[in-house]
Amino acid sequence: MPEQTLSMLGMWLAALLTVFTLSYAFGDNPLFRAAIYLFVGVAAGYAAAVAVEEVLFPYLIDPILALAVGSPVIDPGELAMRGGLTVLLLAKLSPRTARLGNVVTALLVGVAAALAIAGALQGTIIPQVGAARSAFDADTFELALQGGYYGEAGGVLLQGFILLLATISTLAYFHFTARERGNQPPRRNILIDALAWVGRIFIAITLATLFSGVLLAALAALVERLGFLVGLLGGG
């Protein structure tokens, strides 16, 4: 089949799936479910292919084949450990042997949690602390004042104050420790309550910003798909 014909078929298939997906605007229907099932199936197949090509073959199959021909590329003990962990993980496929894979699953979850925590520290918390500190850096104010930029110095101070207040109040919002005072029910410190109330405002602003970003991205995708359909029908 000519390449141009295949390209045209792909474009019409993309248009058809776009219409199936947009049909959800009129409620759940078989056309929308067919598009979703196809998307999930393709995504799962792609993820499996990437896992086999990028992980299973280079880290397990190829070393085993190299060891079989007498030219090992890694230590046999390490290879045996990789194979054993893989077998235990595959045991999760059967309900009878699923318990054998709990150790490997716990190891995967622990490593993923450690990486997530390290990423949060390096990518969010530490830069947040550095940004709050730099906003109150004396050298910054001195350079701004020497250059006559009083407005800029005031803006830096205001930004630093808002950033510091947002950080402290947001952390206070998630502070749930309370003390008992006589016969009264446990209550948090009044200062913590006040900061938590302010933190609720910053959290609401953050969630609204994220939601607006997601909405704008969705609208951009919708406009692009509608433009694609109009262009395809107009060209036809």
Side-chain angles (χ1 to χ4, degrees), residues 43 65 103 155 182 199:
L65 295 177
V103 175

Side-chain angles (χ1 to χ4, degrees), residues 89 92 101-117:
L89 185 61
K92 299 288 290 183
N102 290 342
V103 175
V104 183
T105 304
L107 179 61
L108 292 175
V109 172
V111 171
L115 291 176
I117 293 174

Side-chain angles (χ1 to χ4, degrees), residues 56 86 158 187 219:
L56 191 60
T86 303
L158 180 60
R187 294 188 58 183
L219 289 176

Side-chain angles (χ1 to χ4, degrees), residues 103-216:
V103 175
V104 183
T105 304
L107 179 61
L108 292 175
V109 172
V111 171
L115 291 176
I117 293 174
L121 287 173
Q122 296 179 0
T124 303
I125 297 178
I126 295 178
Q128 184 85 352
V129 173
R133 181 198 61 80
S134 62
F136 298 97
D137 193 348
D139 295 336
T140 303
F141 288 110
E142 184 178 356
L143 291 175
L145 292 176
Q146 287 179 356
Y149 300 111
Y150 297 100
E152 182 179 347
V156 171
L157 180 61
L158 180 60
Q159 292 177 9
F161 175 76
I162 294 176
L163 180 61
L164 188 61
L165 178 62
T167 303
I168 295 176
S169 60
T170 302
L171 292 176
Y173 178 80
F174 294 99
H175 185 275
F176 301 108
T177 303
R179 291 184 179 181
E180 294 185 0
R181 293 181 174 87
N183 296 328
Q184 297 180 357
R187 294 188 58 183
R188 293 190 300 185
N189 184 279
I190 187 173
L191 178 60
I192 298 297
D193 280 334
L195 288 174
W197 183 84
V198 177
R200 188 182 298 114
I201 297 176
F202 283 108
I203 292 174
I205 294 174
T206 302
L207 293 178
T209 303
L210 293 176
F211 177 76
S212 63
V214 173
L215 181 60
L216 289 176

